[in-house]
């Protein structure tokens, strides 16, 4: 989750009284250098389609009386704005097309400026596009000026001229990187005077301020100043903020960016909801951006229907204490636990804590007392100084929050409330309350929390169709207002339920929206923030949520909205406007669907969903027909035959060792081929499926493939084991029918069947699996998972064979980490989707960074660290880097290869930061592979020693168990890493690398290194890091078209192998870089993929062979592609944003670079066989003796070379405990 690293953000550069603004445009240097496939699609989308009809031709200006927001403040506001207070409200009416002359012949060109102010919001570039096209429509020779990096670009004269070429590179794209943004305001007399000098010097007729409530108020003050001073520059605004708190119905029904941000967050919340259902053991607590209002939290709750959503406005109204919130959540968790639900989803706004009255009082007194002489920043001292009421509140807080309040303070000595991670605070208080209830006997469940904080990734995303349209209309409206010489207005676009062509446009005076608030001891005019209305004319969204809130506490009625779509012709949901807005404009919300009564099966609840209960996007997706290879076109067992290609082998040096474990190690490779004749079809098959590995997109499509193939076999049935391997042991099987599967086509996660532990290894477990299959009379068992799952599957198959079991065991490669690949397996299910889902978030964040130009984002990517390898793989991080082009990528394999120490790694990052700072760029994006620390030699040793110590544990106890070197390293680490190293282990006793905030450690160390360089004078930039872990947001994503088709094909293939009795095989599909119809499906024996750790094969302890998780090939095509561009990425902003996964349209067919670059081992073998066959044909008796001699000598030399090459393959050892 995002959290600001505790570092000092440098203050905004002060502008001295002597500095003079500049009046010449700067050369433009911020053009984007690269675009993803979807970005190119959106760039090509015609913006004119978004133009409301009323703005076409020459619209008429209709002036109306504006109604002030506050009658009591009207006179005060009039006194503050004497020149512009009486500005009328404006509405545009349809005029006569070409009334002013063709091509604006009777009009004069206008010169307008635009500035982006405040935080980023999706759609800002389309506002600029609307302005640009609008002034060009007014007169072809009109020009536009763009002020750089926010309002200080105005009063310093930092600007560029915006050309058509520049503008066309940003249409329909996210972020503010075209011009950059800033949070400065024009406040001092000097700044106002310089702003006017600049506008006069460059001859601006108008200026558009694109910003939120404060920015537009500042724009109104500027409009007043310009008019009072006789400056010709008119000023209008456009309403921007993702928080949704700039809303003044009916004229400003919504601010732009809110829709995209909320839909981005809703996609992620939907993904973690599926994750919760898949594992059924975590509460996912999600903190959403929105400090001053809960609008985002409410919108996301309406879109996803979590179990609980806390609204700050309700907390404030009802004067709820932290204890009240704690007790309410604890009651819900206890009630859910009693019906077997120790999981759920909870949403809260980031500003929740500031709505709690007692907390506000505590913070106020705490700041006062800590500023008083004699009060130290210790609990004992503070408790004595606080009032009894506040002391009680302070004591109720968890220990880590109390410490944070006392130690983490801003430069003025005040408590930094915004740094408090509210989700962790609530989880801690709820956990403590539940433990008290456990002691009292009322609670017997399990409460484990996963934390998520979504913010920056929503601010710069590719705008939705609604935001793209709304923003373009706002820009066109602003241009028309300026062209008509109007000032002091904010652009207004309404009638938003209608098609864009029917939207109504105009402008509303900013002064009419203002109220007076006391700020910093002075009366200030401000646009009143639109908080979530609990009652009143705009309370419809809140009322709608309240009606279903109590039911949601107990039900699992999650709605999965899926990724934002852009195919307006084929996908109806791409046109959706915000749910909040729909309700406010009179539409009703879809009622709660019928949620099936769950059936208790062991520790799992089985509750298959109906198609009708799915979201609109899911229902639309379910109608898509899976694409399959030519051999499976008919989706019928009768139309496919199994062709034995050639006997396989394992590594030559391992053959004798392998025979100790397996009866046969030379089973043939199998290929599925279409047959015109109808062979006899296996009937009365009973095939079971177990999800062993972790969640991955596409697994439900695999079920569909199995079911669809088996339905063509009379009397055959498919069974799913509920609860993974535990479900197999306990025989928790349900029949899977086409009707059940239909509701899960194209859906993410493992929610239908779930999973538990990826382990099928001991003699007892093998026998329990055999007994279950025998009792259920299964003819086939399909085990789905990664390297560990398929290693286990090999031994399950061998055990069944030795016990003469009739159940054929087949494996399927699955896992988002992408390391269940080898020469036979080109990809694992879920990798493509997870990479795309993560890449969208990284792309959004990188663009956000290049817009604000002041943060370094350290993004840790969930990867193969938890698959059992001592040194993990980084396939996902590499693929995401290839799709997004960050400034730096820290790969586990590369760090291991170069034997980097932690100090060397930190130096490399710091060097890149310093190099960019020298070019004036104090921002960037760095991707960190999850398992990176284990690749650093000194850390690897420390981890190895810690894994021998029982966990969880405390630092004091652990230090005595460590060697001198490891103890020294451990003691130098920050407290947070020490705590994370000592947390509970995963099921195979290995350290959970996902628990280590590697990105935060690196940021901490890099900041220290740069601080030292600054003292030495070798670093003059600034460094402000933001850290995030990306994983759970993506692993239950909606599958891409590739994963949907790939999983379906593997399902069909595995069913063929199982029905044909081919036990001990993994289903594979090769030639994945080709169109789907050219894919080749088949099976490979597990024994051909098993290897023996070279260091232990001859030792006294002889471990079983394993399928090694595959690491990145540093000589492979994918890594070489990254190497070819990494230097440029480090220096420049090469960022690409692949955007959300598309389910239709041209970019839906895009496949991950890693998969497309995959070496086709089977195709090479086929080519080799052709060459050998040709030699055999040419060297028959009677051929020229010279031919025989050359062939013999060449083949002899080849065999000598092959002897030299013989050795262990590039792999990593799998943990065996």
């Amino acid at each position: 989750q995002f959290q600001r690293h505790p570092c000092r953000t440098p203050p905004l550069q002060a502008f001295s009284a002597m500095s003079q603004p500049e009046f010449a445009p700067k050369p433009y240097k911020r053009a984007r250098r690269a675009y993803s496939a979807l970005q190119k699609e959106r760039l090509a989308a015609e913006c004119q389609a978004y133009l409301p009809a009323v703005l076409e031709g020459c619209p008429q200006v209709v002036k109306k009386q504006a109604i002030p927001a506050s009658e009591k403040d009207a006179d005060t506001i009039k006194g503050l704005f004497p020149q512009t207070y009486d500005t009328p409200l404006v509405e545009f009416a349809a005029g006569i097309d070409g009334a002013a002359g063709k091509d604006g012949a009777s009009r004069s060109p206008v010169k307008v400026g635009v500035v982006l102010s405040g935080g980023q919001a999706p759609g800002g570039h389309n506002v600029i596009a609307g302005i640009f096209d609008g002034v060009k429509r007014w007169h072809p020779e009109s020009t536009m000026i763009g002020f750089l990096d926010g309002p200080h670009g105005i009063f310093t004269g930092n600007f560029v001229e915006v050309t058509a070429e520049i503008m066309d590179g940003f249409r329909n794209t996210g972020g503010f990187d075209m011009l950059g943004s800033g949070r400065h305001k024009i406040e001092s007399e000097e700044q106002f005077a310089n702003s006017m000098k600049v506008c006069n010097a460059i001859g601006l007729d108008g200026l558009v301020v694109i910003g939120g409530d404060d920015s537009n108020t500042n724009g109104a003050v500027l409009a007043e100043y310009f008019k009072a001073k006789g400056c010709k520059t008119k000023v209008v605004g456009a309403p921007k903020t993702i928080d949704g708190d700039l809303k003044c119905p009916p004229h400003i029904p919504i601010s732009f960016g809110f829709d995209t941000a909320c839909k981005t967050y809703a996609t992620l919340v939907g993904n973690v909801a599926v994750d919760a259902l898949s594992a059924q053991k975590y509460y996912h607590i999600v903190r959403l951006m929105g400090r001053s209002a809960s609008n985002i939290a409410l919108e996301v709750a309406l879109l996803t229907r979590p179990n609980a959503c806390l609204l700050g406005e309700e907390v404030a109204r009802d004067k709820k204490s932290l204890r009240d919130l704690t007790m309410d959540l604890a009651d819900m968790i206890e009630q859910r636990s009693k019906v077997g639900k120790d999981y759920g989803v909870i949403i809260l706004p980031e500003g929740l804590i500031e709505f709690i009255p007692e907390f506000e009082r505590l913070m106020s007194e705490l700041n006062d007392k800590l500023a008083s002489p004699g009060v130290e920043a210790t609990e004992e001292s503070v408790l004595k100084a606080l009032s009894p009421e506040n002391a009680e509140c302070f004591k109720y807080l968890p220990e880590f929050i109390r410490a944070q309040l006392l130690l983490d303070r801003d430069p003025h000595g005040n408590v930094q409330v915004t740094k408090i991670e509210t989700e962790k605070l609530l989880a801690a208080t709820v956990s403590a309350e539940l433990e008290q209830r456990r002691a009292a006997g009322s609670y017997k469940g399990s409460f484990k929390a996963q934390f998520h904080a979504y913010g920056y990734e929503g601010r710069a995303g590719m705008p939705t169709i609604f935001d793209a349209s709304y923003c373009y209309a706002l820009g066109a409206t602003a241009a028309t207002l300026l062209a008509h010489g109007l000032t002091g207005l904010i652009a207004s676009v309404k009638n938003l339920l209608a098609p864009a062509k029917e939207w109504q446009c105009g402008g509303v005076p900013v002064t009419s929206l203002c109220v007076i608030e006391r700020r910093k001891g002075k009366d200030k005019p401000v646009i009143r923030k639109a908080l979530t209305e609990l009652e009143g004319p705009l309370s419809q969204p809140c009322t709608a949520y309240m009606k279903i809130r109590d039911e949601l506490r107990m039900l699992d009625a999650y709605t999965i909205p899926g990724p934002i779509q852009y195919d307006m012709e084929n996908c109806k949901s791409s046109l959706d406007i915000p749910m909040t807005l729909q309700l406010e404009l009179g539409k009703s919300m879809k009622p709660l669907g019928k949620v099936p009564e769950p059936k208790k099966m062991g520790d799992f609840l089985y509750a298959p969903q109906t198609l009708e209960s799915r979201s609109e996007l899911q229902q639309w997706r379910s109608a898509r027909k899976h694409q399959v290879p030519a051999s499976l076109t008919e989706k019928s067992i009768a139309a496919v035959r199994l062709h034995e290609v050639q006997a396989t082998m394992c590594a030559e040096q391992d053959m004798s060792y392998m025979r100790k474990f397996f009866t046969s190690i030379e089973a043939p490779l199998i290929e599925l081929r279409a047959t015109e004749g109808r062979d006899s079809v296996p009937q009365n098959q009973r095939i079971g499926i177990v999800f062993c590995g972790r969640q991955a997109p596409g697994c439900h499509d695999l079920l569909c493939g199995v079911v669809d193939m088996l339905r063509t076999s009379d009397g055959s049935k498919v069974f799913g084991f509920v609860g993974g391997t535990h479900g197999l042991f306990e025989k928790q099987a349900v029949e899977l029918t086409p009707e059940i599967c239909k509701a899960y086509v194209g859906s993410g996660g493992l929610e239908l069947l779930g999973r538990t532990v990826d382990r099928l290894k001991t003699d007892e477990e093998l026998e329990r699996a055999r007994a279950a299959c025998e009792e259920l009379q299964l003819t086939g068992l399909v085990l789905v998972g990664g390297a560990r799952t398929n290693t286990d599957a090999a031994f399950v198959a061998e055990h069944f064979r030795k016990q003469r079991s009739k159940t054929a065991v087949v494996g399927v490669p699955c896992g988002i980490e992408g390391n269940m690949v080898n020469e036979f397996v080109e990809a694992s299910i879920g990798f493509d989707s997870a990479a795309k889902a993560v890449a969208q978030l990284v792309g959004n964040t990188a663009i956000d960074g290049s817009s604000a130009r002041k943060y370094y984002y350290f993004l840790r990517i969930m990867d193969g660290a938890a698959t059992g390898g001592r040194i993990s793989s980084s396939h996902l991080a590499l693929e995401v880097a290839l799709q997004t082009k960050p400034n730096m990528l820290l790969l586990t394999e590369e760090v291991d290869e170069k034997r980097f120490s932690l100090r060397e790694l930190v130096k490399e990052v710091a060097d890149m930061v310093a190099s960019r700072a020298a070019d004036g760029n104090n921002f960037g994006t760095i991707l960190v592979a999850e398992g990176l620390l284990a690749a650093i030699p000194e850390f690897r040793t420390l981890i190895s020693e810690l894994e021998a110590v029982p966990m969880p544990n405390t630092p004091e106890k652990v230090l005595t168990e460590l060697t001198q070197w490891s103890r020294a390293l451990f003691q130098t680490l920050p407290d947070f890493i020490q705590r994370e190293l000592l947390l509970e282990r995963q099921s195979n006793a290995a350290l959970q690398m996902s628990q280590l905030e590697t990105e935060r450690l690196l940021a901490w160390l890099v900041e220290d290194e740069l601080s030292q360089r600054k003292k030495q004078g070798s670093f003059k930039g600034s460094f402000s890091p933001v850290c995030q872990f990306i994983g759970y947001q993506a692993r239950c994503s909606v599958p891409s078209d590739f994963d949907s088709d790939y999983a379906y094909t593997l399902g069909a293939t595995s069913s063929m192998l199982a029905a044909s009795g081919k036990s001990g095989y993994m289903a594979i599909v090769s030639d994945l870089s080709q169109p789907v119809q050219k894919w080749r499906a088949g099976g490979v024996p597990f024994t051909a993929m098993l290897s023996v750790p070279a260091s232990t094969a001859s030792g006294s302890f002889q471990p079983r062979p394993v399928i090694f998780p595959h690491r990145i090939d540093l000589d492979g095509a994918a890594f070489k592609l990254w190497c070819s561009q990494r230097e440029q990425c480090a220096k420049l902003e090469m960022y690409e944003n692949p955007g959300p996964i598309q389910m239709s349209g041209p970019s839906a067919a895009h496949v991950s670079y890693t998969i497309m670059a995959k070496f086709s081992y089977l195709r090479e073998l086929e080519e080799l066989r052709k060459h050998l066959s040709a030699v055999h044909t040419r060297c028959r008796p009677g051929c020229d003796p010279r031919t025989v001699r050359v062939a013999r000598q060449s083949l002899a030399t080849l065999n000598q070379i092959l002897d030299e090459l013989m050795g262990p393959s590039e792999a990593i050892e799998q943990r065996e405990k």
Side-chain angles (χ1 to χ4, degrees), residues 647-667 1087-1088 1090-1092 1097 1105 1206-1207:
T648 61
M649 60 182 286
C650 61
E652 290 183 48
Q653 70 273 19
D654 293 341
M655 282 188 171
S656 60
Y657 188 80
M658 291 281 288
R659 287 194 172 96
K660 298 177 183 179
F661 297 89
F662 298 96
T663 307
S664 170
I665 59 171
E666 296 179 336
T1087 52
L1090 290 166
S1091 299
V1092 181
M1206 190 179 71

Side-chain angles (χ1 to χ4, degrees), residues 11-251:
L12 295 174
Q13 184 179 358
F15 297 93
S16 69
M18 298 299 293
S19 62
Q20 291 296 316
E22 299 180 28
F23 306 127
K26 302 285 192 303
Y28 189 71
K29 298 180 179 180
R30 300 188 184 182
R32 287 188 178 170
R33 297 174 173 86
Y35 298 93
S36 70
L38 184 59
Q39 282 178 312
K40 291 175 183 176
E41 269 186 58
R42 297 300 296 140
L43 283 173
E46 181 52 65
C47 285
Q48 293 295 328
Y50 308 145
L51 183 69
V54 72
L55 297 181
E56 296 172 354
C58 186
Q60 299 179 38
V61 176
V62 179
K63 298 182 178 181
K64 297 185 178 181
Q65 180 68 39
I67 300 173
S70 171
E71 288 289 348
K72 72 179 182 65
D73 294 333
D75 290 340
T76 305
I77 293 170
K78 185 173 184 177
L80 294 169
F81 295 92
Q83 300 293 326
T84 55
Y85 181 78
D86 293 327
T87 299
L89 183 147
V90 167
E91 290 182 356
F92 291 121
I96 302 171
D97 189 30
K102 192 172 183 180
D103 296 327
S106 65
R107 305 171 187 160
S108 298
V110 293
K111 191 173 194 178
V112 301
V114 62
V115 63
L116 296 163
S117 179
Q120 290 71 257
H125 291 150
N126 266 29
V127 177
I128 300 174
I131 299 167
F132 183 87
D133 292 349
V135 297
K136 291 294 185 181
R137 254 193 322 274
W138 177 261
H139 194 287
E141 295 181 17
S142 295
T143 55
M144 189 165 89
I145 295 297
F147 290 100
L148 300 177
D149 301 328
H152 79 75
I154 301 174
F155 59 77
T156 61
N158 188 19
F159 63 91
V160 297
E161 181 174 340
V162 178
T163 64
E165 182 182 9
I166 293 171
M167 189 68 257
D168 289 346
F170 291 91
R171 293 177 185 270
N172 296 313
T173 64
F176 281 4
D177 53 317
M178 175 180 172
L179 300 176
S181 185
R183 293 188 178 276
H184 330 87
K185 290 186 178 64
I186 301 172
E187 295 180 305
S188 70
E189 175 59 34
E190 182 187 23
Q191 290 169 348
F192 278 106
N194 282 345
S195 297
M196 188 171 70
K197 284 181 185 177
V198 171
C199 291
N200 282 335
I202 59 181
L204 279 193
D205 296 295
L207 171 67
V208 183
V209 177
I210 302 172
D213 50 354
D214 284 348
S215 298
N216 274 286
T217 303
N218 198 218
V221 175
L222 192 62
E224 175 72 20
Y225 182 88
F226 282 178
K227 190 170 183 179
K229 298 292 184 180
C231 175
K232 75 169 184 174
T233 307
K234 307 298 187 288
V235 183
V236 301
K240 173 231 61 159
T241 173
I242 69 166
D243 292 346
D245 56 9
L246 174 49
K247 183 165 56 177
C248 307
H251 305 295

Side-chain angles (χ1 to χ4, degrees), residues 206 291 357 457 484 509 629 797 898 915 1030 1060 1086 1114 1142 1150 1214:
R291 180 178 172 189
E457 61 270 78
H484 283 86
K898 294 181 177 179
S915 176
I1030 304 178
S1060 303
F1086 290 123
L1114 298 181
Q1142 295 301 288
H1150 176 76
Q1214 186 173 7

Side-chain angles (χ1 to χ4, degrees), residues 954-987:
T954 63
E956 295 74 23
K957 293 180 180 178
V958 163
L959 285 174
T960 60
E961 304 290 329
L962 299 177
T963 61
Q964 178 182 349
W965 299 111
S966 291
R967 188 185 313 128
L969 173 60
F970 186 84
Q971 289 175 315
T972 63
L973 298 174
D975 290 345
F976 67 88
I977 286 288
Q978 289 187 10
R979 290 193 302 269
E980 290 159 3
L981 282 166
L982 304 182
L983 292 173
E984 184 179 356
R985 297 290 182 251
Q986 58 190 36
S987 58

Side-chain angles (χ1 to χ4, degrees), residues 583-596:
L583 295 171
E584 288 172 350
L585 295 179
K587 290 194 73 174
S588 59
M589 189 171 70
K590 179 182 175 182
L592 278 179
K594 185 178 179 181
V595 178

Side-chain angles (χ1 to χ4, degrees), residues 856 858 887-891 894-896 898-916 926-927 932 1002 1005-1006 1009-1010 1013 1023 1119 1122 1126-1127 1130:
Y856 265 93
F858 283 71
N887 300 104
M888 181 171 265
L889 168 65
L890 301 178
L891 283 178
E894 188 176 17
V895 169
D896 181 45
K898 294 181 177 179
R899 305 287 292 174
F900 270 160
S901 67
L902 187 57
R903 179 180 294 276
E904 289 170 329
L905 191 62
V906 169
K907 180 181 181 299
E908 185 154 298
V909 178
D911 286 347
M912 186 272 290
V913 173
S915 176
R916 287 181 58 78
I926 299 170
L927 299 193
L932 187 72
L1002 282 172
L1005 293 170
V1006 170
E1009 169 69 17
L1010 293 172
R1013 295 187 187 189
F1023 179 69
F1119 184 69
W1122 168 249
R1126 70 193 310 174
E1127 187 175 333

Side-chain angles (χ1 to χ4, degrees), residues 621-835:
R621 183 78 186 289
S622 70
R624 177 181 179 270
K625 301 296 184 185
H626 289 101
Q627 301 296 304
V628 294
S631 60
L632 294 170
T633 301
E634 294 193 31
K635 299 178 183 177
S636 168
I637 290 181
V640 182
R641 66 183 177 87
L642 271 57
H643 172 72
E644 295 186 359
V645 179
Q646 188 177 9
T648 61
M649 60 182 286
C650 61
E652 290 183 48
Q653 70 273 19
D654 293 341
M655 282 188 171
S656 60
Y657 188 80
M658 291 281 288
R659 287 194 172 96
K660 298 177 183 179
F661 297 89
F662 298 96
T663 307
S664 170
I665 59 171
E666 296 179 336
L669 188 70
I670 289 174
E671 184 177 341
L672 269 58
R673 295 182 178 177
T675 177
E676 295 183 4
R678 291 296 181 261
D679 296 342
S680 60
V681 178
Q683 297 181 349
N684 301 313
Q685 296 294 304
R686 295 171 64 86
I687 295 178
I689 304 174
V690 185
F691 289 143
C692 303
R694 285 177 169 80
Q695 295 89 308
C699 288
H700 290 138
D701 291 284
L702 179 139
L703 299 181
C704 296
V706 177
V707 170
D708 282 355
M709 286 297 283
L710 264 294
R711 70 194 296 184
T712 63
S713 169
D714 291 343
S716 295
K717 293 182 179 181
V718 179
F719 298 91
F721 285 96
V722 177
T725 52
H726 287 179
L728 172 62
F729 300 150
E730 301 300 328
K731 301 176 281 292
Q732 294 163 192
V734 294
E735 185 178 353
L736 300 178
T737 64
E739 293 70 33
I740 290 174
C741 290
K742 183 65 176 174
Y744 290 86
V745 173
S747 64
L750 309 176
E751 64 167 299
L752 177 60
L753 300 177
R755 69 170 294 271
T756 45
V757 179
D758 188 3
R759 182 185 174 96
L760 245 172
K761 179 182 175 184
T762 66
D763 291 342
E764 180 188 357
E765 290 165 344
L766 293 174
E767 186 54 29
R768 290 181 70 185
R770 187 200 62 77
C773 292
E774 193 167 294
E775 185 173 328
L776 293 170
Q777 300 179 341
L778 297 186
T779 57
L781 179 66
V782 178
L783 302 177
V784 184
R788 183 182 295 124
T789 295
N790 283 285
T791 295
D792 287 346
F795 287 89
V796 172
E798 185 64 20
H799 179 76
F800 282 19
R801 183 180 290 114
K802 289 177 178 177
Q803 298 300 317
R804 302 184 185 281
S805 170
K806 296 180 179 179
T807 306
V809 179
V810 176
V812 175
C814 176
I816 68 166
E817 63 277 351
N819 59 18
M820 181 51 259
V821 294
N822 50 45
E823 56 269 33
F824 297 102
V825 184
E826 296 181 14
S828 56
I829 294 173
F831 174 77
D832 184 71
S833 309

Side-chain angles (χ1 to χ4, degrees), residues 396-611:
Y396 186 72
L397 297 173
E399 182 181 355
F400 73 94
I401 294 291
R402 296 199 300 269
Q404 187 176 352
L405 292 177
L406 295 177
L407 300 176
D408 199 3
R409 314 181 68 72
D410 67 19
H412 304 290
N414 295 322
V415 173
Q416 299 194 73
V417 180
T418 55
K419 284 194 175 182
I420 294 174
E421 295 169 292
T422 317
E423 69 279 19
K424 293 184 179 179
L425 165 62
L426 274 173
T429 58
V430 166
S431 182
E433 172 60 28
L434 290 172
E435 288 308 308
Q436 290 183 20
R437 298 185 185 193
R438 189 189 306 280
S442 65
Y443 175 69
K444 299 176 182 178
S446 168
F447 176 67
K448 296 179 181 178
Q450 293 285 354
F451 304 110
H452 314 272
Y454 302 147
Y456 293 96
E457 61 270 78
R459 303 196 313 175
M462 207 174 293
T464 58
I465 297 297
F466 170 76
D467 264 333
S469 309
Y470 183 54
C471 288
Y472 189 79
L474 284 170
T477 300
T480 307
L481 291 170
L482 291 177
H484 283 86
L486 300 169
T487 193
L489 300 165
I490 186 169
S492 164
V493 177
K494 51 189 182 178
N495 193 33
L496 299 179
L497 281 180
K501 286 295 178 185
E502 298 174 24
W503 287 352
Q504 298 165 3
C505 305
V508 58
V510 177
T511 54
S512 71
L513 307 177
C514 287
V515 296
I516 296 296
E517 286 186 7
R518 195 80 176 164
R519 293 189 179 180
K520 297 181 181 179
K522 295 182 179 180
D523 286 340
K524 293 282 187 181
V526 297
I527 299 175
R528 179 184 287 143
K529 284 192 179 295
L531 305 183
T532 299
E533 286 199 21
L534 305 177
E535 41 194 40
L538 294 179
S539 62
Q540 301 93 329
C542 194
T543 301
Y545 175 66
M546 298 296 182
K547 285 181 180 178
I548 61 175
R549 177 164 64 176
D550 288 343
E551 289 182 84
L552 293 177
R553 288 168 69 92
M554 294 302 294
L555 296 176
D556 298 336
Y558 312 126
T559 299
I560 315 302
I564 296 166
Q565 298 297 296
Y566 295 98
D567 185 351
M568 293 185 286
E569 291 185 12
N570 298 304
C571 182
K572 182 182 175 184
S573 62
S574 67
L575 302 174
D576 286 347
I577 71 172
M579 180 61 68
T580 302
L581 183 58
Q582 292 184 45
L583 295 171
E584 288 172 350
L585 295 179
K587 290 194 73 174
S588 59
M589 189 171 70
K590 179 182 175 182
L592 278 179
K594 185 178 179 181
V595 178
E597 190 68 29
K599 178 182 178 182
K600 183 79 171 173
M601 301 186 75
D603 294 331
F604 253 74
L605 296 175
Y606 175 66
Q609 301 293 314
T610 62
L611 183 59

